[in-house]
Amino acid sequence: EACYELAAARAYLYTLFHKVLGGEPTTELLAAIGSEATAQAVGELAREDDTLASFAAFAGGVGDRAEDAAFVEEAQEEFARFFEGPAEPPAYPWEGPYLTRETMVFQPNTLAVRAAYADYGLQVRRLKHIPDDHVSIMAAFMADLSERAEAALRAGDFDQGHDLVAAMYRFSQEHMATWLPEYAAQSLHVTKAVLYPQVIHALRSLVQ
């Protein structure tokens, strides 16, 4: 049972991080961050991780302020600074710049990430408009593999479950652990951390 619950918790959190890092925050999304479902998923994975344990308390506070219009506006403004511009973001939200020190999108690593998605029949919805190595897209891929792993384990197909968990590990090591620590560190280069630095640090810890 524990392995099913861990897979389900990973699927839930990767899906949540995909949504938070991929679109402007709304009252509903902020409420989801602070929900009991989030608390339970974090609880499954935070027993030996101080950053995730801290995120659980932070997430509850976000939920408490989800109806606060001023807080929602602060979160939306921070989202724009991190992901939309027009100014340079505190940290680039895709893998390429951390490997090559060049800020352009669709670098050689992008094709490797795209191939990893294709191995599981997946493709970025807005192909060639959003870089495949964007942090939100990577989180969505990990969520998909987690859901498949949970389904395989519940069906008693432990070989497939093992293979999917191994695929998650490979992808996390080859394309997420390579840059998320630096991304998280750079995300703190802000006057005030409202939501996104905390989420990025939690994602980094989940990957680790």
Side-chain angles (χ1 to χ4, degrees):
E1 181 99 10
C3 62
Y4 309 149
E5 292 173 354
L6 287 172
R10 288 194 185 98
Y12 177 90
L13 288 176
Y14 277 122
T15 298
L16 180 67
F17 292 148
H18 159 62
K19 292 179 178 178
V20 175
L21 298 169
E24 186 178 74
T26 61
T27 294
E28 292 75 19
L29 184 57
L30 296 175
I33 293 172
S35 68
E36 180 61 28
T38 296
Q40 290 178 355
V42 173
E44 286 291 332
L45 299 161
R47 291 166 189 157
E48 298 181 3
D49 189 297
D50 291 341
T51 299
L52 282 177
S54 297
F55 179 73
F58 169 78
V62 170
D64 291 341
R65 300 182 67 188
E67 300 285 344
D68 181 342
F71 177 69
V72 175
E73 184 176 355
E74 271 193 297
Q76 290 172 344
E77 290 173 353
E78 188 178 65
F79 175 81
R81 288 195 298 275
F82 269 80
F83 299 103
E84 293 182 334
E88 289 288 299
Y92 292 103
W94 59 90
E95 181 187 22
Y98 300 89
L99 303 183
T100 66
R101 302 301 161 184
E102 297 178 359
T103 60
M104 61 184 177
V105 295
F106 300 106
Q107 298 189 44
N109 73 289
T110 310
L111 296 178
V113 172
R114 185 177 299 170
Y117 299 163
D119 285 343
Y120 291 88
L122 300 173
Q123 177 179 288
V124 175
R125 188 171 298 164
R126 296 178 61 198
L127 189 67
K128 300 184 180 178
H129 292 280
I130 297 177
D132 307 66
D133 56 342
H134 191 283
V135 62
S136 173
I137 304 299
M138 288 190 175
F141 178 59
M142 293 289 278
D144 184 89
L145 293 187
S146 298
E147 289 172 357
R148 296 189 197 198
E150 180 192 4
L153 292 168
R154 288 191 182 279
D157 190 341
F158 296 105
D159 288 340
Q160 185 183 22
H162 175 273
D163 289 347
L164 287 161
V165 171
M168 291 174 63
Y169 177 77
R170 285 194 304 273
F171 186 82
S172 70
Q173 293 302 298
E174 293 173 4
H175 294 293
M176 298 183 83
T178 52
W179 66 286
L180 285 181
E182 186 176 355
Y183 179 44
Q186 290 188 11
S187 75
L188 293 174
H189 295 168
V190 293
T191 303
K192 179 183 179 182
V194 178
L195 174 65
Y196 288 91
Q198 294 90 331
V199 169
I200 292 165
H201 274 263
L203 173 61
R204 186 261 304 160
S205 287
L206 177 60
V207 169
Q208 285 184 331

